Amino acid sequence: MISEYFFPENQPRKNPWSRIQLFLAFFFTLFTILALGMDSVFFTEHYFDARQITNVAAIFYFSMLFFASDNHLRRLMVVMVLLSYFGELIFCKLLGMYAYRTAAIPLYVPFGHAIVYASGFIFAQTKWALQQERTLKYFFAIFFTLLFLSVWILGNDWFSLLFGGLFFVLLKRKRWQNLYYFIALCVIFIELVGTFFQCWTWVPKTFGVIPAINPPMGAVFFYAGGDVLLAKIVSHWEFKKNQITRY
């Protein structure tokens, strides 16, 4: 079975829903295409505005992942929804780095970010990823280096060169944890799908100065930074809860 291959056999399975959890993480790719395709400019212009369907689907998918996860990942997902919403207000509305096809921030976006994070988190905890940890670190480092350099050279994407460099600085501080690489891969996938369907569009020059392609690969830095903040918030939450439990 796929879950028996990916999850360590020598570790007790605290979560009886692990097979469903892993399936949902893999199915995230197809779900992203279907959900964002429904919210696309093409679908809206040729059929009807299906954003509400995408909103409901995202919340439903979030709920399935939530109930299939352990308490730690559940806390991460809940906090990610809140952080994502504030992040959207800052990066989309305040800084104007990108814009959605409508003026309003779609309801599915914060829940989508939590799904992205949870999927990357699950992939990073699989048996295969843990066994290949050192090899994956080298592979990811080379892959993302080439990615940031290629979009800079071929697309004049200074945004990705700058923030891609900061992404590596952040990873160095986090001891090159593969978790951030896996999440970054999920982020890149959803950014490519979302911009392809024109659900959102990045501005050609960030802050009116920094050239960027649509989407800029360096955007993973902002997700990684949010992930670091997320981990600290949940760690503090769990620490406080343990203290209360003791007394």
Side-chain angles (χ1 to χ4, degrees), residues 105-134:
I105 298 173
L107 178 62
Y108 67 78
V109 170
F111 292 95
H113 285 165
I115 293 171
V116 168
Y117 181 90
S119 298
F121 185 93
I122 294 168
F123 290 141
Q125 302 303 316
T126 59
K127 178 181 178 180
W128 177 79
L130 295 175
Q131 288 180 337
Q132 304 298 326
E133 181 179 8
R134 183 179 294 273

Side-chain angles (χ1 to χ4, degrees), residues 47-136:
Y47 302 101
F48 61 93
D49 189 343
R51 173 163 292 178
Q52 295 305 323
I53 296 178
T54 301
N55 288 337
V56 172
I59 295 174
F60 179 71
Y61 203 87
F62 170 90
S63 299
M64 288 194 297
L65 258 178
F66 180 86
F67 288 112
S69 301
D70 57 24
N71 288 333
H72 178 65
L73 184 53
R74 286 179 178 180
R75 295 189 184 102
L76 288 169
M77 292 176 68
V78 170
V79 177
M80 173 56 83
V81 171
L82 300 175
L83 280 181
S84 173
Y85 178 72
F86 287 112
E88 290 295 323
L89 293 178
I90 294 173
F91 298 116
C92 178
K93 294 301 183 181
L94 181 61
L95 300 179
M97 296 171 64
Y98 52 89
Y100 291 97
R101 69 172 180 84
T102 60
I105 298 173
L107 178 62
Y108 67 78
V109 170
F111 292 95
H113 285 165
I115 293 171
V116 168
Y117 181 90
S119 298
F121 185 93
I122 294 168
F123 290 141
Q125 302 303 316
T126 59
K127 178 181 178 180
W128 177 79
L130 295 175
Q131 288 180 337
Q132 304 298 326
E133 181 179 8
R134 183 179 294 273
T135 301
L136 284 173

Side-chain angles (χ1 to χ4, degrees), residues 2-245:
I2 189 169
S3 60
E4 294 175 350
Y5 175 76
F6 279 101
F7 285 102
E9 296 176 357
N10 59 347
Q11 295 182 7
R13 281 182 188 161
K14 298 181 180 179
N15 179 17
W17 292 67
S18 58
R19 294 182 180 181
I20 298 177
Q21 183 188 63
L22 185 60
F23 169 78
L24 291 172
F26 275 107
F27 192 73
F28 145 79
T29 53
L30 180 57
F31 172 77
T32 297
I33 295 173
L34 294 175
L36 294 181
M38 292 284 287
D39 190 45
S40 67
V41 170
F42 178 86
F43 193 93
T44 302
E45 291 180 347
H46 289 79
Y47 302 101
F48 61 93
D49 189 343
R51 173 163 292 178
Q52 295 305 323
I53 296 178
T54 301
N55 288 337
V56 172
I59 295 174
F60 179 71
Y61 203 87
F62 170 90
S63 299
M64 288 194 297
L65 258 178
F66 180 86
F67 288 112
S69 301
D70 57 24
N71 288 333
H72 178 65
L73 184 53
R74 286 179 178 180
R75 295 189 184 102
L76 288 169
M77 292 176 68
V78 170
V79 177
M80 173 56 83
V81 171
L82 300 175
L83 280 181
S84 173
Y85 178 72
F86 287 112
E88 290 295 323
L89 293 178
I90 294 173
F91 298 116
C92 178
K93 294 301 183 181
L94 181 61
L95 300 179
M97 296 171 64
Y98 52 89
Y100 291 97
R101 69 172 180 84
T102 60
I105 298 173
L107 178 62
Y108 67 78
V109 170
F111 292 95
H113 285 165
I115 293 171
V116 168
Y117 181 90
S119 298
F121 185 93
I122 294 168
F123 290 141
Q125 302 303 316
T126 59
K127 178 181 178 180
W128 177 79
L130 295 175
Q131 288 180 337
Q132 304 298 326
E133 181 179 8
R134 183 179 294 273
T135 301
L136 284 173
K137 284 183 178 181
Y138 288 116
F139 169 79
F140 282 138
I142 294 173
F143 172 79
F144 280 96
T145 297
L146 293 176
L147 178 64
F148 297 142
L149 288 176
S150 62
V151 294
W152 170 56
I153 295 172
L154 300 177
N156 193 37
D157 187 357
W158 286 88
F159 180 102
S160 292
L161 182 66
L162 172 62
F163 291 105
L166 293 177
F167 174 70
F168 283 124
V169 171
L170 180 61
L171 279 179
K172 182 179 180 181
R173 292 177 60 88
K174 303 304 294 183
R175 299 183 179 180
W176 308 100
Q177 295 179 40
N178 284 333
L179 168 65
Y180 297 98
Y181 284 126
F182 276 108
I183 293 173
L185 287 178
C186 294
V187 168
I188 289 174
F189 177 78
I190 199 170
E191 283 290 344
L192 289 172
V193 174
T195 52
F196 174 79
F197 286 128
Q198 296 178 290
C199 299
W200 61 83
T201 305
W202 288 77
V203 297
K205 288 191 176 182
T206 304
F207 312 130
V209 178
I210 308 173
I213 60 174
N214 180 43
M217 299 295 99
V220 296
F221 165 72
F222 296 96
Y223 285 88
D227 296 341
V228 172
L229 179 59
L230 169 66
K232 289 183 178 180
I233 293 175
V234 172
S235 177
H236 180 72
W237 179 3
E238 292 178 338
F239 175 76
K240 288 294 184 181
K241 184 174 182 180
N242 290 335
Q243 281 189 323
I244 294 174
T245 303

